[in-house]
């Protein structure tokens, strides 16, 4: 292979590597990398029941996540409990006059999905309203999801 | 003009303000008797829409007579009037007209105002959102406020926080007991929201009064019992959901009823219920003999709220046909209940405010 050919191959490899390494803009944005005190990529382990409708009453619903990577801040373990505000609503439109700053790009919540999230704790300091927590017998911190984007491993 | 406002005008037409000295129409002689019985027993304050469309506070006698607007602020809405324990003052929220009034969240919006009980000399305490859910102390010198960081006891003279109590999951509708030893409100407990709890102001211990879909709890004068609204699960719909469809309510949603219980959660019993109506705003008279409440056609429908009064000795009472509810409470009574006026969140004092009779 000629010298030009080697150079062309090397350039192609660099482009491929950069492309594979770059996160979708729906995953990494200014909010998820700056809001709250903790930034993680985590997988929804389970959703412990059906989300109640929230056409009249707003609420937060606690989901169990398995942490895949901590990008910012510290966590006590690999499993965390995260309160999502009005989880029936897409994150792009979930913020309202009582929620404070919440949002992101996740459209819907499904067990097994991976999310990149900006979190704060404890939830009581950020949301004063109904919280459905099926893990109430499990001690530990409940995180408040400020920003929730689709994530990847 | 919004559909809600049109509905409100229709309600006003259906329930015109009564002129001084005029009693409620005696559709039932027992109602007329009840009206005469309570007519001279102090005053009720309630938020109600004016003909201009804003919410003002109105005073009226407990039979619905001598009704008068005591705030008269077309540029603001007022909500949540509560008499001080001595009946000389009143606190309420004054809310900018462009701020949405939530039936369950008004206490954290707008400014806290404290005025004389007849509405004169209104004084604003802090900016909008400050003093959230302010509730009188027994001596009227302090208020308890519900914040994210806890229940703050604030001196009215200095506006300073003098004590903070863990709120234990209570998130709205905070009320301080008349004896000063307890708080109540809906809280997040045992995994469920909308659990009415009693919280000790002295020891911070908390206990459940009623789990699952309960709210707007308020104290009996003896501080030993609570009145609250509850929407029990799995309510039967013998009409196949026609009542619900009529008000665009989802099938199986159920109807909110008025209940009472001891502070420790024992002796729960129905006070008033009616299939097809949501019952909120329970408020006990200062002598503990009567109860005020609102009926509305839709859950949270403050625009359809109408205030009613009944004797507690007539509890449980069931209104309307209520086939499903009567099946559950076969020994329920049949009132009487006295219709007063359109409104939301009534409160009652036996103090002599003046201006009537």
């Amino acid at each position: 292979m000629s010298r030009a050919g080697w150079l062309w191959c090397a350039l192609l490899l660099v482009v491929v590597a950069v492309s594979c390494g770059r996160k979708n803009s729906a995953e990494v944005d200014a909010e998820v990398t700056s809001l709250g005190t903790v930034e993680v990529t985590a997988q929804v382990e389970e959703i412990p029941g059906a989300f109640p409708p929230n056409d009249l009453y707003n609420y937060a619903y606690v989901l169990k996540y398995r942490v895949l990577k901590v990008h910012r801040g510290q966590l006590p373990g690999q499993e965390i409990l995260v309160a999502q505000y009005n989880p029936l609503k897409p994150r792009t439109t979930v913020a309202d006059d009582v929620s404070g700053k919440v949002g992101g790009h996740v459209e819907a919540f499904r067990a097994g999905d991976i999310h990149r999230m900006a979190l704060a704790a404890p939830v009581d300091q950020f949301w004063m309203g109904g919280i459905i927590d099926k893990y109430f017998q499990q001690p530990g911190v409940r995180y408040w999801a400020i920003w929730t984007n689709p994530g990847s491993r | 003009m919004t559909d809600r406002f049109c509905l409100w005008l229709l309600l006003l037409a259906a329930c015109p303000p009564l002129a001084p000295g005029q009693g409620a129409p005696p559709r039932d002689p027992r109602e007329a008797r009840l009206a005469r019985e309570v007519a001279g027993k102090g005053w009720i304050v309630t938020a109600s829409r004016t003909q201009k469309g804003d919410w003002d506070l109105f005073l009226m006698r407990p039979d619905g007579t001598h009704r008068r607007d005591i705030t008269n602020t077309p540029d603001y809405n007022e909500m949540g009037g509560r008499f001080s324990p001595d009946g000389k003052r009143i606190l309420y929220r004054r809310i900018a007209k462009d701020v949405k009034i939530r039936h369950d969240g008004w206490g954290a919006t707008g400014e806290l105002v404290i005025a004389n009980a007849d509405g004169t000399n209104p004084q604003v305490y802090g900016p909008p959102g400050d003093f959230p859910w302010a509730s009188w102390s027994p001596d009227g010198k302090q208020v308890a406020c519900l914040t994210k960081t806890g229940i703050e006891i604030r001196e009215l003279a200095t506006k300073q926080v003098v004590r903070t109590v863990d709120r234990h999951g209570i998130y709205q509708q905070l009320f301080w007991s008349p004896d000063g030893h307890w708080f109540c409100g809906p809280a997040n407990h045992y995994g469920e929201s909308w659990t009415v709890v009693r919280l000790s102001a002295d020891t911070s211990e908390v206990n459940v009064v009623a789990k699952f879909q309960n709210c707007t709890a308020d104290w009996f004068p003896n501080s030993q019992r609570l009145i609250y609204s509850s929407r029990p699960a799995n309510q039967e719909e013998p009409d196949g959901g026609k009542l619900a469809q009529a008000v665009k309510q989802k099938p199986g949603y159920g109807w909110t009823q008025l209940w009472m219980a001891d502070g420790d959660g024992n002796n729960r019993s129905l006070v008033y219920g009616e299939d097809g109506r949501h019952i909120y705003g329970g408020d006990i008279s200062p002598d503990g003999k009567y109860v005020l409440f609102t009926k509305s056609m839709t859950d949270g429908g403050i625009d359809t709220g109408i205030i009613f009064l009944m004797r507690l000795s007539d509890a449980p009472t069931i209104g309307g046909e209520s086939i499903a509810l009567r099946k559950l409470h076969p020994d329920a009574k049949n009132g009487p209940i006295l219709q007063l006026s359109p409104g939301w969140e009534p409160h009652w004092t036996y103090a002599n405010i003046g201006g009537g009779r």
Side-chain angles (χ1 to χ4, degrees), chain B residues 237-290:
Chain B
E237 291 183 320
D239 63 353
K242 285 181 187 162
L243 267 178
Q245 286 163 14
V247 293
K248 296 178 182 170
Q249 182 171 292
K250 287 180 182 168
Y253 187 83
W255 306 101
T256 313
Q257 304 152 4
L258 193 64
W259 285 69
M260 60 184 170
D262 294 345
D264 60 8
N266 289 324
N267 297 312
R268 285 182 214 141
S269 60
L270 179 71
V271 175
Y272 183 84
E274 183 174 336
D275 291 343
R277 293 289 181 272
H278 293 276
I279 313 300
Y280 282 108
D283 181 65
I284 303 292
S285 64
D287 62 4
K289 291 183 177 173
Y290 307 93

Side-chain angles (χ1 to χ4, degrees), chain B residues 10-338:
Chain B
L10 280 174
L11 277 170
L12 279 177
C15 315
L18 299 168
Q22 183 186 355
R27 281 163 299 190
D28 174 345
R30 298 178 311 149
E31 288 177 26
R33 203 156 47 242
L34 177 56
R36 285 195 299 275
E37 185 177 313
V38 297
K41 292 178 182 290
W43 293 89
I44 290 166
V45 65
T46 182
S48 191
R49 278 228 198 252
T50 70
Q51 292 191 337
K52 291 174 186 163
D54 64 314
W55 289 83
D56 280 350
L57 293 184
F58 289 77
L59 278 182
M60 62 184 165
R61 286 293 197 181
D63 62 349
T65 61
H66 296 79
R67 188 172 182 269
R68 68 180 198 268
D69 190 335
I70 60 166
T71 50
N72 285 302
T73 53
D75 296 330
Y76 288 95
N77 291 311
E78 279 88 22
M79 186 60 70
R82 299 283 299 192
F83 293 110
S84 58
D86 64 5
K88 292 180 179 172
R89 289 172 297 159
I90 192 169
L91 67 69
Y92 56 91
R93 309 300 298 192
R94 191 178 76 173
I95 303 166
K97 276 185 82 174
D98 60 347
V99 174
K100 182 179 178 182
I101 300 178
R102 293 177 183 272
H103 74 286
D104 59 342
W106 50 263
T109 53
E111 300 155 327
L112 173 68
V113 177
I114 297 180
N116 295 330
D118 62 1
T120 58
N121 193 29
Q123 302 290 319
V124 174
Y125 281 68
D130 201 4
F131 291 89
W133 295 106
S135 176
W136 291 106
S137 66
D139 64 4
K141 293 179 179 173
Q142 299 175 324
V143 287
C145 302
L146 184 62
T147 74
K148 285 176 184 162
T149 52
I151 296 169
E152 295 178 351
I153 312 298
R154 295 179 71 165
E155 291 279 356
L156 285 173
T158 63
K159 300 181 184 175
Q160 297 302 304
V161 177
V162 295
R163 187 160 69 98
T164 302
V165 180
D166 189 328
R167 68 183 167 92
H168 282 280
I170 295 177
Y171 52 84
Q172 55 183 223
Q173 302 161 3
L174 177 76
F175 287 108
W176 203 345
S177 66
D179 67 4
H181 291 302
W182 306 97
F183 298 109
C184 70
N188 297 306
H189 265 267
Y190 301 99
E192 288 295 345
S193 51
W194 302 110
T195 294
V196 165
V197 299
R198 178 182 70 164
L199 167 64
S200 169
D202 307 319
T203 66
S204 223
E205 284 179 71
V206 66
N207 68 266
V208 169
V209 177
K211 272 193 214 176
F212 190 69
Q213 294 185 171
N214 307 281
C215 67
T216 56
D218 201 357
W219 295 97
F220 276 59
N222 65 7
S223 300
Q224 300 301 303
R225 283 174 70 69
L226 287 154
I227 189 151
Y228 59 95
S229 291
S230 178
R231 179 160 50 89
N234 305 317
Q235 293 181 41
E236 192 187 345
E237 291 183 320
D239 63 353
K242 285 181 187 162
L243 267 178
Q245 286 163 14
V247 293
K248 296 178 182 170
Q249 182 171 292
K250 287 180 182 168
Y253 187 83
W255 306 101
T256 313
Q257 304 152 4
L258 193 64
W259 285 69
M260 60 184 170
D262 294 345
D264 60 8
N266 289 324
N267 297 312
R268 285 182 214 141
S269 60
L270 179 71
V271 175
Y272 183 84
E274 183 174 336
D275 291 343
R277 293 289 181 272
H278 293 276
I279 313 300
Y280 282 108
D283 181 65
I284 303 292
S285 64
D287 62 4
K289 291 183 177 173
Y290 307 93
V291 57
L292 296 169
F293 57 84
T294 55
K295 279 192 209 182
S296 49
M297 293 160 67
T298 55
D299 194 13
I302 60 176
D303 281 299
T304 63
I306 297 177
I307 298 169
F308 288 81
L309 180 154
M310 65 176 262
R311 294 183 194 96
L312 269 176
S313 58
D314 289 329
T317 274
I318 292 176
E321 196 177 8
S322 300
I323 297 167
L325 194 55
R326 288 184 192 281
K327 212 190 291 183
L328 290 173
H329 303 273
D331 298 328
K333 299 168 189 168
N334 187 30
I337 65 167
L338 187 61

Side-chain angles (χ1 to χ4, degrees), chain A residues 33-131:
Chain A
T33 53
S34 64
L35 295 172
T37 53
V38 178
E39 180 188 345
V40 296
T41 294
Q43 184 168 29
V44 181
E45 276 207 330
E46 63 173 354
I47 296 175
F51 299 138
N54 51 236
D55 37 8
L56 182 61
Y57 295 105
N58 299 304
Y59 65 91
Y61 196 99
V62 176
L63 304 179
K64 185 184 281 184
Y65 279 87
R66 187 163 54 84
V67 177
L68 304 177
K69 186 171 184 185
V70 179
H71 305 279
R72 179 163 54 92
Q74 291 186 321
L75 287 175
Q78 289 301 104
E79 211 169 62
I80 55 171
L81 296 170
V82 178
Q84 291 282 1
Y85 181 62
N86 284 346
L88 286 174
K89 296 183 177 175
R91 295 303 86 184
T92 47
T93 57
V94 72
D96 58 31
D97 59 326
V98 295
S99 65
K101 188 168 181 75
V102 289
H105 299 289
V106 164
E107 286 289 315
F109 289 89
R110 291 175 291 262
D113 283 358
I114 295 174
H115 296 154
R116 184 148 174 170
M117 297 181 288
L119 307 173
V123 61
D124 273 359
Q125 300 295 312
F126 297 88
W127 165 242
M128 195 155 78
I131 301 172

